[in-house]
Amino acid sequence: MEMRRAFAYVGLALVLGVAPVLADEGETEEEQPEPTWKSNIGLSYVATSGNTDTSTMGLDLLVERRPDPWGLEFIANFNRAEDSNREEDEEFGKLTAERYYASGRAMRALSERWEFFAGLSGEKDRFAGFDLRAVVESGVTYHALLGPKHLLSFDGGLTWTDEDRISEPDVSYFGGIAGLNYEWKISDNASLTERLLFYPNFDESSDWRLSSDTGLQVSMTSLLAVRLGYEFRYRNEPIGEADDTDTTTKASLVFTF
């Protein structure tokens, strides 16, 4: 059912994004240069009452500066779900989901297609078995497609990970990062994005992680957009009794500034 809803949302957003293009067919506009800075905040909230009493909220923040030659990217996500009808337990209370994530990355352009990056991220997800996971990363990015309609880049580098686990001893290890970042500018007001990341563990090869974040964003005005997102996170060796897969489907209002 979750995947069917996601496909239905994507289909609706595609109609909203492509329809204005068909209506304006034949008209040409002078291309505007991309701004050096780009920022947006996405907000989502769902609440039910009566036979069920639940609330779900989400917050997404993106601030980035295009490398010229130095660039910066800051990402933060917050998701929380609570069910008041759920039997309260000692560890989580009435929570059914809670996750915090923040990352910062600095980039230095080396040429039109190559750039160097270094970054730090922190994540808290007690339902996945850890209080804090900190990752230091460094590597290079290759831009295979430069647009204007399709943008495609690949990341490759090394990482150091430190995990503060809840039910198991804490671990620290060296690993790697391999990533793909794709954007398809469907029209002037709609775009499809995909961010795929693979994290191998050099100390224990079976303990690798994979994450995917797919989004479809349609602009309503120059400041307001609707974003439909599907996030998939997989860990080959989950911590304790945690599941190996987490997914999040989200519809958000996005404020761009």
Side-chain angles (χ1 to χ4, degrees), residues 16-180:
L16 292 173
V18 175
V21 179
L22 298 177
D24 296 334
E25 195 174 65
E27 297 183 5
T28 59
E29 294 183 1
E30 186 177 343
E31 281 191 24
Q32 298 294 325
E34 282 195 24
T36 302
W37 286 92
K38 182 171 69 174
S39 307
N40 58 59
I41 298 176
L43 300 173
S44 61
Y45 181 75
V46 176
T48 64
S49 61
N51 292 318
T52 59
D53 190 1
T54 64
S55 62
T56 303
M57 66 181 69
L59 171 66
D60 301 287
L61 172 65
L62 169 66
V63 179
E64 61 179 350
R65 184 188 191 278
R66 184 164 45 87
D68 189 28
W70 289 95
L72 179 67
E73 179 186 73
F74 177 77
I75 299 173
N77 308 114
F78 165 67
N79 295 305
R80 175 189 172 96
E82 183 177 324
D83 185 352
S84 296
N85 296 326
R86 179 176 181 265
E87 185 176 344
E88 187 168 349
D89 60 43
E90 293 182 1
E91 186 175 359
F92 299 113
K94 293 183 177 295
L95 288 175
T96 57
E98 186 179 41
R99 178 176 178 260
Y100 304 86
Y101 175 82
S103 70
R105 175 185 282 196
M107 296 90 74
R108 174 63 163 87
L110 304 175
S111 67
E112 184 182 25
R113 294 185 180 271
W114 290 94
E115 66 188 39
F116 169 82
F117 70 83
L120 172 67
S121 65
E123 181 179 359
K124 177 177 181 177
D125 190 342
R126 292 185 298 156
F127 288 89
F130 58 90
D131 265 330
L132 177 65
R133 176 165 62 212
V135 179
V136 180
E137 60 179 27
S138 181
V140 294
T141 299
Y142 174 71
H143 295 272
L145 298 177
L146 301 177
K149 200 171 188 65
H150 298 279
L151 299 157
L152 176 65
S153 63
F154 299 94
D155 292 344
L158 300 175
T159 63
W160 180 82
T161 302
D162 180 74
E163 281 188 340
D164 182 5
R165 299 182 174 183
I166 296 174
S167 59
E168 296 182 1
D170 300 343
V171 297
S172 299
Y173 56 88
F174 282 101
I177 178 173
L180 175 151

Side-chain angles (χ1 to χ4, degrees), residues 122-248:
E123 181 179 359
K124 177 177 181 177
D125 190 342
R126 292 185 298 156
F127 288 89
F130 58 90
D131 265 330
L132 177 65
R133 176 165 62 212
V135 179
V136 180
E137 60 179 27
S138 181
V140 294
T141 299
Y142 174 71
H143 295 272
L145 298 177
L146 301 177
K149 200 171 188 65
H150 298 279
L151 299 157
L152 176 65
S153 63
F154 299 94
D155 292 344
L158 300 175
T159 63
W160 180 82
T161 302
D162 180 74
E163 281 188 340
D164 182 5
R165 299 182 174 183
I166 296 174
S167 59
E168 296 182 1
D170 300 343
V171 297
S172 299
Y173 56 88
F174 282 101
I177 178 173
L180 175 151
N181 196 14
Y182 172 70
E183 181 179 1
W184 173 24
K185 296 183 178 179
I186 303 170
S187 68
D188 290 340
N189 67 330
S191 61
L192 177 69
T193 59
E194 168 64 25
R195 179 63 168 160
L196 183 66
L197 293 170
F198 172 66
Y199 293 94
N201 182 338
F202 293 161
D203 290 347
E204 189 174 345
S205 60
S206 58
D207 185 24
W208 53 267
R209 297 184 291 113
L210 179 71
S211 68
S212 169
D213 189 358
T214 306
L216 180 63
Q217 184 163 311
V218 178
S219 299
M220 302 293 113
T221 68
S222 60
L223 300 177
L224 182 64
V226 174
R227 186 180 190 275
L228 310 173
Y230 180 76
E231 186 177 2
F232 172 87
R233 300 186 303 277
Y234 177 82
R235 182 162 196 160
N236 193 52
E237 286 191 352
I239 302 172
E241 300 298 322
D243 292 337
D244 57 11
T245 303
D246 285 301
T247 63
T248 304

